Amino acid sequence: MGGTLMAQVGLASRRAVFNAKGRRLGGLLCLAGMLGLGLGPVDAQQTRHADDPFLQISEGIAGCPAPAVPLETPAQARESAHWRAERGTSCYRSGRCRLPNAYLYDAEIILRVRLFAQQDERFVGTSLWVLGQRRWVFVLGCVGSEAQGRAIEQAIQGIDDVEAVIGQWRVGSEGAAPYPVVGPGP
């Protein structure tokens, strides 16, 4: 399979892949591609070409590492443009979206997730960031317990226009983060 890791992940994330505990691994693969985990060295010209909404929604756990902002080189952006266009418009063509491109929902969805987090007790005692991409919400950061993380995922899934929630969080702030981090990670 050719192309960038992001293009490969785009195809791989269509499959429902599970580990022994039943947790989705497809989301982790997709997140790795979105956050710019490539096979070669980091290019100094990486920028946020896609402009997918990415923001912090809670700050309740000290020492929780901040996720790295998703970056692409201009070449990676050109290569991912095709699968982003296909995925964005297929939602509309299939009748699952009222807007002509699934990416048009993301900014509004992420703002609603932030508002919801500010008003819901389940987010107390967490440090979380959210990333929106084609009606999928990626939840990154630290939670107080496994049950709290699952409850948050379920709550976000109930927000209008959210198609999927991919949890990439960990319990507490110790150990390796399940996502690329800003600067040197633990």
Side-chain angles (χ1 to χ4, degrees):
M1 184 179 343
T4 67
L5 179 62
M6 289 185 69
Q8 294 171 17
V9 167
L11 294 173
S13 67
R14 292 181 188 190
R15 301 180 189 104
V17 180
F18 295 88
N19 68 9
K21 292 183 181 179
R23 292 184 74 176
R24 283 185 79 120
L25 295 177
L28 180 60
L29 293 173
C30 188
L31 179 66
M34 288 179 4
L35 294 179
L37 293 180
L39 301 177
V42 174
D43 186 333
Q45 295 181 353
Q46 288 185 326
T47 60
R48 289 195 67 202
H49 291 279
D51 201 29
D52 295 326
F54 176 71
L55 54 88
Q56 186 169 10
I57 60 170
S58 65
E59 311 180 52
I61 296 180
C64 185
V69 175
L71 301 175
E72 291 181 304
T73 65
Q76 289 170 326
R78 280 190 301 277
E79 289 181 32
S80 68
H82 173 75
W83 70 265
R84 286 181 65 90
E86 186 275 327
R87 290 177 138 206
T89 59
S90 65
C91 179
Y92 180 74
R93 288 191 322 261
S94 68
R96 293 187 330 265
C97 293
R98 59 184 162 70
L99 298 178
N101 189 313
Y103 292 95
L104 297 174
Y105 292 85
D106 295 336
E108 182 184 338
I109 286 173
I110 294 303
L111 291 176
R112 288 193 318 230
V113 169
R114 180 175 61 185
L115 180 62
F116 182 71
Q118 292 169 347
Q119 299 174 7
D120 191 288
E121 292 179 5
R122 289 173 280 201
F123 291 85
V124 172
T126 67
S127 286
L128 296 172
W129 290 259
V130 288
L131 171 70
Q133 188 180 70
R134 79 185 176 284
R135 298 177 53 216
W136 289 18
V137 177
F138 293 81
V139 182
L140 305 98
C142 304
V143 296
S145 70
E146 182 88 14
Q148 182 183 32
R150 296 286 171 225
I152 287 170
E153 287 178 18
Q154 258 188 330
I156 292 172
Q157 183 68 56
I159 294 174
D160 282 348
D161 296 322
V162 172
E163 182 178 351
V165 178
I166 312 298
Q168 296 299 321
W169 42 262
R170 68 176 182 198
V171 175
S173 61
E174 299 298 319
Y179 49 83
V181 300
V182 174

